[in-house]
């Protein structure tokens, strides 16, 4: 029969920091609106088929980030959830680690498969909530 595809989700800090916004004339600026970015590490529209399916994200403010990742294949769907506190303007890499069987299966069925990622971020200071979701196709 069909073997189960197991996965391992991790979040890795790449440690890229941008300078903080400056204040003008001693006045404290209002915190900027919370925005999320979600893309592949190489900036292309499709995720490369590999042992680790990588996606990167970032928040404009300090936030609590929750990522729901779903690998959709013709045989089955695999879900995973990550949650972490994210400093402002840091790039975080999330990856879905496949088993050997899962990798071989995805290589054969990459055109019929996709990776859905839904990010939910809550600003640490204001409690503002931002949601971003994206569906990625695969490439070899």
């Amino acid at each position: 029969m069909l073997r189960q595809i197991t996965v391992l989700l991790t979040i890795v800090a790449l440690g890229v920091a941008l300078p903080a916004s400056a204040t003008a004339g001693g006045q404290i600026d209002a915190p900027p609106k919370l925005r999320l970015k979600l893309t592949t590490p190489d900036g292309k529209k499709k995720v490369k088929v590999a042992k680790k399916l990588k996606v990167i994200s970032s928040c404009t403010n300090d936030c609590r980030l929750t990522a729901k990742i779903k690998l959709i294949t013709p045989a089955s769907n695999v879900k995973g959830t990550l949650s972490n506190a994210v400093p402002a303007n840091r790039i975080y890499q999330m990856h879905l680690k496949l088993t050997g069987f899962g990798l071989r299966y995805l290589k054969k069925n990459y055109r019929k498969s996709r990776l859905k990622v839904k990010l939910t971020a809550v600003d640490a200071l204001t409690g503002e909530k931002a949601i971003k979701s994206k569906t990625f196709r695969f490439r070899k």
Side-chain angles (χ1 to χ4, degrees):
M1 294 309 285
L2 182 68
R3 293 185 213 167
Q4 185 177 6
I5 302 171
T6 57
V7 296
L8 174 68
L9 296 173
T10 57
I11 189 164
V12 179
L14 295 179
V16 177
L18 299 175
S21 62
T23 58
Q27 296 177 352
I28 298 174
D29 293 338
K33 186 175 178 178
L34 178 65
R35 287 186 292 161
L36 294 171
K37 293 182 182 178
L38 177 64
T39 187
T40 59
D42 55 6
K44 296 184 179 177
K45 291 183 180 183
K46 296 182 179 182
V47 175
K48 183 168 178 60
V49 174
K51 182 85 172 171
K52 293 180 182 179
L53 306 175
K54 298 177 184 178
V55 178
I56 59 172
S57 65
S58 67
C59 291
T60 55
N61 301 345
D62 292 341
C63 64
R64 182 82 185 156
L65 183 69
T66 302
K68 292 183 180 181
I69 300 175
K70 186 175 184 181
L71 176 63
I72 302 168
T73 62
S76 66
N77 298 338
V78 179
K79 297 178 187 179
T81 304
L82 296 170
S83 185
N84 199 7
V86 178
N89 298 317
R90 290 275 173 99
I91 296 172
Y92 278 85
Q93 181 177 21
M94 299 168 283
H95 63 266
L96 188 77
K97 188 173 180 181
L98 300 174
T99 60
F101 173 76
L103 178 59
R104 286 189 303 274
Y105 182 80
L106 188 59
K107 282 183 178 180
K108 291 178 184 175
N109 297 289
Y110 74 97
R111 289 192 175 129
K112 300 174 192 168
S113 303
R114 55 194 189 275
L115 184 71
K116 290 179 83 171
V117 181
K118 181 179 178 184
L119 292 177
T120 305
V122 178
D123 193 330
L125 296 176
T126 62
E128 179 186 1
K129 190 175 183 180
I131 298 172
K132 179 134 187 168
S133 60
K134 200 167 193 179
T135 302
F136 296 98
R137 304 295 291 203
F138 290 102
R139 66 179 173 84
K140 276 198 169 185

